[in-house]
Amino acid sequence: MVYYDPGISPPPASPTEAPPPGPAPANPPSPPTDAAQIKTSDSLGDFISNLGQNDDQKKLLDNLTQDPDYQKLKKYLDDSPSKVKYTSQPGLVIGGVERFGGYNSGSNTLIINPTKPEHVKDPKELIITVVHELLHVSQDLRLENPDIPPPIPKDIYDTSTDPTIQGNPDLKGQPLIRKDDPAVVNDPVLKKYLDDNYGDSDSNPKEEYKDLNKKGQKYIDDIVGRITAK
């Protein structure tokens, strides 16, 4: 999952791109995106209703719509003066890596990759991605409309809104934090903060940090725990 800004648009996957050297990955990548498969909606409700690719995904997505925290988020987004677009894009690639999902703050567009192998094998992963990206949307809209706070705990931050991270002039406005970024490598206090409060990225764990803090991750885990208990 990655939160990306207006300057980073998701490039289409290339069918001619050579596979990386070494053994085959445990979860082979999705096929390259076919433009006809990309579907966008102005309605979060319609988007969730049509996102599932199999019965297991559809069941959990339906359970999600009945969760009280999701319902609060949905109302907040539906009522927001900043309108959001919701896109399903199989095989989503950003920065050369197939991603679980993303959010473009320039166009207020949330994107989910429903065919990511982890999403297909374990539908809980799809729910995690959906709520994760909804939290990114909420963080962004909180900046756009400060008088209308989102219905989430105030200590949930992503890397684009966390004051500790954004207080570093070399990382300001940078939503995706790489582990080899000089601003991180040369600042052991910042590195420890990222290690302790964010941890390894799901899509690219060796090179990137998660873009949502552990308070946000717990919020997601609580929702997933409730809807999978049904």
Side-chain angles (χ1 to χ4, degrees):
M1 288 159 279
V2 59
Y3 176 101
Y4 56 98
D5 67 20
I8 309 175
S9 58
S14 169
T16 61
E17 185 175 352
N27 295 299
S30 303
T33 300
D34 180 341
Q37 295 178 298
I38 301 174
K39 299 177 182 178
T40 298
S41 174
D42 293 327
S43 163
L44 176 56
D46 290 346
F47 173 73
I48 294 296
S49 295
N50 294 298
L51 182 61
Q53 303 289 298
N54 56 50
D55 289 344
D56 290 337
Q57 287 183 343
K58 291 175 182 177
K59 178 182 177 181
L60 276 191
L61 286 164
D62 183 61
N63 288 353
L64 176 64
T65 65
Q66 301 170 49
D67 183 81
D69 281 340
Y70 167 82
Q71 291 174 347
K72 291 175 188 175
L73 270 176
K74 181 179 182 301
K75 184 177 188 313
Y76 169 75
L77 296 172
D78 288 347
D79 294 345
S80 173
S82 302
K83 297 309 175 185
V84 179
K85 296 181 183 297
Y86 305 93
T87 296
S88 170
Q89 182 172 334
L92 171 69
V93 171
I94 302 171
V97 176
E98 184 178 9
R99 304 288 180 171
F100 291 82
Y103 174 62
N104 187 320
S105 61
S107 61
N108 283 3
T109 302
L110 176 152
I111 306 176
I112 301 294
N113 177 0
T115 58
K116 186 85 162 74
E118 293 87 342
H119 286 166
V120 176
K121 288 172 61 177
D122 185 355
K124 292 195 299 294
E125 293 293 336
L126 179 62
I127 302 301
I128 290 170
T129 299
V130 169
V131 181
H132 178 112
E133 300 305 339
L134 289 175
L135 289 178
H136 282 316
V137 179
S138 299
Q139 293 287 321
D140 192 53
L141 297 190
R142 176 160 60 185
L143 295 177
E144 291 184 17
N145 308 292
D147 294 334
I148 312 174
I152 59 175
K154 292 181 179 179
D155 54 0
I156 291 178
Y157 289 112
D158 58 27
T159 48
S160 287
T161 57
D162 188 322
T164 298
I165 297 171
Q166 292 302 306
N168 185 310
D170 293 325
L171 296 178
K172 191 169 182 61
Q174 185 173 316
L176 185 63
I177 308 298
R178 291 185 58 85
K179 296 181 178 181
D180 61 0
D181 190 305
V184 176
V185 174
N186 297 326
D187 188 340
V189 174
L190 176 61
K191 181 181 183 304
K192 186 176 188 310
Y193 180 82
L194 288 164
D195 289 339
D196 292 348
N197 292 280
Y198 285 84
D200 299 337
S201 157
D202 292 313
S203 298
N204 194 11
K206 291 184 178 180
E207 298 180 350
E208 299 166 356
Y209 286 103
K210 276 189 170 74
D211 54 7
L212 185 72
N213 72 0
K214 290 184 179 179
K215 299 285 187 179
Q217 295 167 38
K218 182 181 185 306
Y219 177 92
I220 295 170
D221 290 343
D222 289 346
I223 290 179
V224 172
R226 289 194 297 268
I227 71 171
T228 54
K230 293 185 176 183

Coordinates of all heavy atoms in Angstrom, one line a residue, residues 51-59 119-121 123:
L51 N -16.4 -4.3 -6.0 CA -15.0 -4.6 -5.9 C -14.6 -6.0 -5.8 O -13.6 -6.5 -6.4 CB -14.4 -3.8 -4.7 CG -12.9 -3.9 -4.5 CD1 -12.1 -3.3 -5.6 CD2 -12.5 -3.2 -3.2
G52 N -15.4 -6.8 -5.2 CA -15.1 -8.2 -5.0 C -14.9 -9.0 -6.2 O -15.7 -8.9 -7.2
Q53 N -13.9 -9.9 -6.3 CA -13.6 -10.7 -7.5 C -14.0 -12.1 -7.2 O -14.1 -12.9 -8.2 CB -12.1 -10.7 -7.8 CG -11.5 -9.3 -8.0 CD -12.0 -8.7 -9.3 OE1 -11.7 -9.2 -10.3 NE2 -12.6 -7.5 -9.2
N54 N -14.4 -12.5 -6.0 CA -14.8 -13.9 -5.7 C -15.8 -13.8 -4.5 O -15.9 -12.8 -3.9 CB -13.6 -14.8 -5.5 CG -12.7 -14.4 -4.4 OD1 -13.2 -14.0 -3.3 ND2 -11.4 -14.3 -4.6
D55 N -16.4 -14.9 -4.2 CA -17.4 -15.0 -3.2 C -16.8 -14.6 -1.8 O -17.5 -13.9 -1.0 CB -18.1 -16.4 -3.1 CG -19.0 -16.6 -4.3 OD1 -19.3 -15.7 -5.0 OD2 -19.3 -17.8 -4.5
D56 N -15.6 -15.1 -1.5 CA -15.0 -14.8 -0.2 C -14.8 -13.3 0.0 O -15.0 -12.7 1.0 CB -13.7 -15.5 0.0 CG -13.9 -17.0 0.1 OD1 -15.0 -17.4 0.5 OD2 -13.0 -17.8 -0.2
Q57 N -14.2 -12.6 -1.1 CA -14.0 -11.2 -1.0 C -15.4 -10.5 -0.9 O -15.5 -9.6 -0.1 CB -13.3 -10.7 -2.3 CG -11.9 -11.1 -2.4 CD -11.2 -10.5 -3.6 OE1 -11.9 -10.1 -4.6 NE2 -9.9 -10.5 -3.7
K58 N -16.4 -10.9 -1.6 CA -17.7 -10.2 -1.6 C -18.3 -10.3 -0.2 O -18.9 -9.4 0.3 CB -18.6 -10.8 -2.7 CG -18.2 -10.5 -4.1 CD -19.1 -11.2 -5.1 CE -18.6 -10.9 -6.5 NZ -19.4 -11.6 -7.6
K59 N -18.1 -11.5 0.4 CA -18.7 -11.7 1.8 C -18.1 -10.7 2.8 O -18.8 -10.0 3.5 CB -18.5 -13.1 2.2 CG -19.1 -13.4 3.6 CD -18.8 -14.8 4.1 CE -19.3 -15.0 5.5 NZ -19.0 -16.4 6.0
H119 N -4.5 -10.5 -2.0 CA -6.0 -10.2 -1.9 C -6.8 -11.4 -2.3 O -7.9 -11.6 -1.7 CB -6.3 -9.0 -2.8 CG -5.8 -7.7 -2.3 ND1 -5.8 -6.6 -3.1 CD2 -5.3 -7.3 -1.1 CE1 -5.3 -5.5 -2.4 NE2 -5.1 -6.0 -1.2
V120 N -6.4 -12.1 -3.3 CA -7.2 -13.3 -3.8 C -7.1 -14.4 -2.8 O -8.0 -15.1 -2.5 CB -6.7 -13.7 -5.2 CG1 -7.5 -14.9 -5.7 CG2 -6.9 -12.5 -6.2
K121 N -5.8 -14.7 -2.3 CA -5.6 -15.8 -1.4 C -6.2 -15.6 -0.1 O -6.7 -16.5 0.6 CB -4.1 -16.1 -1.2 CG -3.4 -16.6 -2.5 CD -1.9 -16.7 -2.3 CE -1.5 -17.5 -1.1 NZ 0.0 -17.6 -1.0
P123 N -8.9 -12.8 1.6 CA -9.7 -11.6 1.4 C -9.6 -10.6 2.6 O -9.9 -9.5 2.4 CB -11.2 -12.2 1.4 CG -11.1 -13.6 1.4 CD -9.7 -14.1 1.6

